[in-house]
Amino acid sequence: MKPLRFRAVPGVRALASYRRAWLAKDLVAGVVLTTLLVPQGMAYAELAGLPPITGLYTTVLCLLGYAVAGPSRILVLGPDSSLGPMIAATVLPLVEADGDPARAVALASALALMVAAVMILASVAKLGFVADLISKPTMIGYMNGLALTILIGQLPKLLGFSVGADDLVGEFTGFLRKLGEGATVPAAAAVGCGGILVILVLQRFLPKVPAVLVMVVLSIAAATVFDLGEHGVSLVGELPEGLPPFTIPDVRLADLSLLLAGALGIALVSLADTISNASAFAARQGQEVRGNQEMAAIGVANLAAGPFQGFPVSTSGSRTAVAERAGARSQLTGVVGAVLIVLMLVLVPGLFRNLPQPALAAVVITASLSLADVPGAVRLWRQRRTEFLLCCAAFVGVALIGVLAGIGVAVALSVLNVFRRSWWPYRTVLGRVGGLEGYHDVRSHPAAQRLPGLVIYRFDAPLVFANARAFRDEIRRLAGTDPPPRWILIAAEPMTDVDTTAADMLEELDEELDAKGVRLVFAELKDPVRRRIEQYGLTRTLDPRRFFPTVEGAVAAYRRRTGAEWAPADEVREGYGNGEASGNGNANGRP
């Protein structure tokens, strides 16, 4: 039995199916990947408000953890630019006024363990669907706000000075003030701005060249040759030798509530990132995405990093793309990268001592530019203004309230948008159009024919407590014309549910309409909804003979009973026949 249990571990399965032909490609890809892992790991650690070395510790442990537990052959994990500001927003307020780095590291490590617990528990509960809580428009707004936050936060470091502020507005005004006071260090500005230029030019014209590595090598060479440390440029300095010991983070009980709030937000963003990246790369490799397994694997990666001065991690689209382009075939690529980083820390810890801090700021700023999706926001403006407003609200939430509150705003807006669509769904009257089968929206087809005395009404949403009154008011309006219709036929195919509040409303509405001589009729109710209506006991008042399998069948029954003939739109009296049923859809009749 034990071998079978071990075979359930993704890393063991991958090892059992490993092909010898992959080895050379994985080794080469691992070497190439390492050239990106080291500078980005150090830069994103500083973005999170932590010492650069912790980014390397985190990178090593999370790569090994995901190699064991990760279901994807190609995904690369590590410190991430989108998580850095969230980690800083969680950890830095809890650090004492003296900014003790050891306490910041302990808090970040505890945060990683809490993210691990959230991810693993959510995986056991099969909650992978929570990644859908952030819609694409709100995610675009959130990422644009995050990109702006990172950019403004890194500008002082890029130019060689610092600004003490707690929010984006304070950072920006402080940056402008110090810029006006002449606080810029010319050598630092040259290294930082030159680094951005090198990365962007190489990424644009020579995409296969490791742009970040080239920039790092050039900046180290410049710092060594021109002795930039003596010209006011901050350098990374000597890194600690080897790996840190296993340590249980020492945090106060009072810190746990803020850490948990941060862990939940980080877990949500990490999961959304992971699912989107896994889907994109799995589609290219012919693999299947397993959302709950990915959650568990991210949890294990954070669990591995936490006790070794690590901080929360996520998947990286850029690093995964580099590994894929370099020929990676399995998670051995990440293992090779982890081993090379360990060898660097043990054998040559001083390799990056002359790396200028503005160069790390350049790495972070160029990464923030990749987070932004301005064309996506412009597309929303052109295609759907309401979703553009959601995007803007999420952007403002991140920029003005903060990254942690911003993720809450993004989730809340996504959920409220779903609720809004259920609350005010599209609804309309239908008619017959020559040359087209079925019945169609009279807004799109004003000349559609209608039967005198019959209103065919479509309500494009589940009938629930949030929209029950809107449905009732619309039916009352349609029934209140002079003369009133004989039948109001509900084309109920879009109604995927009827809750108890809506059921009570239907019972009262039916009795009210019967008193006026108007019959409420349903067509195309889905079987589960029909069974629910029977369960509610509505068939006591709503005669089962009022339920038809198709709209065509209901119309045929009406014509048999009344002898009505199809009439042009202008011959049907205004009110129920004029197609003015309200709704919030577009001119083409789509919600």
Side-chain angles (χ1 to χ4, degrees):
M1 295 298 292
K2 284 186 178 180
L4 290 177
R5 284 202 297 270
F6 278 117
R7 289 275 294 184
V9 178
V12 174
R13 287 202 309 269
L15 188 61
S17 61
Y18 193 82
R19 301 177 188 174
R20 186 176 299 177
W22 294 349
L23 182 59
K25 294 182 178 180
D26 280 339
L27 291 174
V28 172
V31 173
V32 173
L33 181 63
T34 306
T35 64
L36 188 63
L37 293 175
V38 173
Q40 281 194 346
M42 297 170 69
Y44 297 160
E46 293 219 327
L47 177 61
L50 302 168
I53 186 63
T54 60
L56 301 184
Y57 296 157
T58 302
T59 300
V60 170
L61 273 303
C62 76
L63 286 174
L64 296 178
Y66 190 82
V68 173
S72 170
R73 289 181 185 168
I74 190 71
L75 283 185
V76 177
L77 268 66
D80 189 67
S81 57
S82 63
L83 298 189
M86 300 182 74
I87 297 168
T90 305
V91 169
L92 296 186
L94 299 175
V95 179
E96 270 78 3
D98 61 358
D100 181 11
R103 176 155 164 73
V105 170
L107 290 168
S109 298
L111 187 61
L113 294 176
M114 294 178 79
V115 170
V118 170
M119 284 291 204
I120 292 171
L121 289 174
S123 172
V124 172
K126 300 189 183 302
L127 298 180
F129 66 88
V130 297
D132 299 330
L133 288 178
I134 308 181
S135 67
K136 184 67 177 293
T138 49
M139 181 57 91
I140 290 174
Y142 175 78
M143 287 299 179
N144 285 341
L146 197 62
L148 181 64
T149 300
I150 294 171
L151 176 64
I152 291 177
Q154 292 294 306
L155 283 177
K157 183 178 172 182
L158 187 79
L159 301 183
F161 58 86
S162 61
V163 172
D166 296 328
D167 55 54
L168 184 66
V169 175
E171 285 185 341
F172 186 61
T173 55
F175 169 73
L176 292 179
R177 185 178 63 254
K178 287 214 168 185
L179 196 63
E181 294 172 354
T184 301
V185 177
V191 171
C193 295
I196 292 176
L197 185 63
V198 168
I199 292 175
L200 294 180
V201 168
L202 289 179
Q203 287 179 342
R204 176 68 177 85
F205 297 104
L206 297 170
K208 292 187 177 181
V209 173
V212 172
L213 176 64
V214 171
M215 187 276 293
V216 166
V217 170
L218 290 176
S219 63
I220 291 175
T224 303
V225 172
F226 299 107
D227 197 14
L228 295 182
E230 296 298 320
H231 291 80
V233 178
S234 296
L235 305 177
V236 169
E238 194 87 14
L239 296 177
E241 185 176 342
L243 291 174
F246 179 91
T247 306
I248 300 299
D250 182 18
V251 296
R252 301 166 186 164
L253 191 61
D255 299 335
L256 294 181
S257 58
L258 183 55
L259 287 175
L260 179 58
L264 292 173
I266 290 169
L268 182 58
V269 172
S270 178
L271 177 60
D273 248 356
T274 298
I275 296 300
S276 61
N277 283 324
S279 300
F281 287 100
R284 295 212 289 260
Q285 302 236 337
Q287 293 181 317
E288 193 177 311
V289 176
R290 302 176 180 88
N292 290 307
Q293 283 190 22
E294 289 290 357
M295 263 199 302
I298 299 294
V300 170
N302 280 284
L303 186 62
F308 295 95
Q309 298 185 21
F311 52 85
V313 297
S314 181
T315 56
S316 168
S318 62
R319 277 164 280 183
T320 303
V322 167
E324 184 185 49
R325 287 199 301 267
R329 290 294 181 269
S330 75
Q331 285 299 325
L332 181 59
T333 296
V335 173
V336 171
V339 170
L340 290 177
I341 294 174
V342 170
L343 291 175
M344 183 199 77
L345 292 175
V346 171
L347 301 178
V348 281
L351 185 62
F352 291 94
R353 65 175 176 271
N354 286 335
L355 175 60
Q357 293 283 3
L360 293 181
V363 173
V364 173
I365 287 174
T366 53
S368 74
L369 297 178
S370 68
L371 291 178
D373 187 4
V374 176
V378 173
R379 188 182 71 250
L380 290 174
W381 168 258
R382 292 173 178 168
Q383 294 178 348
R384 191 159 187 169
R385 300 292 171 83
T386 55
E387 297 201 342
F388 173 77
L389 292 177
L390 288 175
C391 174
C392 291
F395 172 83
V396 171
V398 175
L400 297 185
I401 304 175
V403 290
L404 276 183
I407 189 64
V409 169
V411 171
L413 288 174
S414 296
V415 173
L416 286 174
N417 192 36
V418 173
F419 186 74
R420 178 189 65 83
R421 292 180 183 179
S422 295
W423 193 356
W424 297 309
Y426 187 80
R427 58 260 196 195
T428 190
V429 170
L430 306 180
R432 191 176 73 165
V433 179
L436 295 176
E437 294 184 2
Y439 299 89
H440 303 275
D441 190 339
V442 297
R443 294 180 185 175
S444 300
H445 304 278
Q449 293 180 310
R450 277 148 276 177
L451 285 170
L454 174 68
V455 176
I456 307 175
Y457 177 71
R458 193 183 71 209
F459 190 81
D460 289 352
L463 192 55
V464 295
F465 71 95
N467 56 35
R469 187 165 66 174
F471 178 88
R472 180 199 63 194
D473 292 346
E474 193 69 29
I475 297 300
R476 281 177 174 172
R477 189 190 70 78
L478 293 170
T481 55
D482 185 22
R486 300 175 67 176
W487 279 22
I488 297 179
L489 170 59
I490 310 299
E493 193 271 338
M495 288 187 185
T496 55
D497 194 16
V498 174
D499 70 4
T500 54
T501 302
D504 291 342
M505 177 275 297
L506 285 176
E507 186 173 10
E508 295 170 4
L509 182 63
D510 182 57
E511 292 174 352
E512 179 183 323
L513 294 179
D514 277 348
K516 296 180 179 180
V518 180
R519 176 167 292 185
L520 191 62
V521 180
F522 294 84
E524 299 183 354
L525 267 177
K526 291 179 169 58
D527 288 343
V529 181
R530 174 70 182 271
R531 287 193 294 269
R532 187 150 293 172
I533 284 178
E534 292 172 352
Q535 182 182 350
Y536 294 151
L538 276 179
T539 49
R540 290 173 302 156
T541 54
L542 283 171
D543 190 332
R545 289 175 296 179
R546 297 189 190 182
F547 295 90
F548 293 86
T550 64
V551 173
E552 288 82 358
V555 170
Y558 176 79
R559 293 185 65 192
R560 285 195 303 270
R561 296 177 193 181
T562 63
E565 296 294 336
W566 290 102
D570 56 4
E571 293 183 12
V572 180
R573 290 185 62 87
E574 291 197 6
Y576 61 79
N578 64 4
E580 293 179 355
S582 60
N584 59 353
N586 60 25
N588 293 324
R590 294 189 295 270

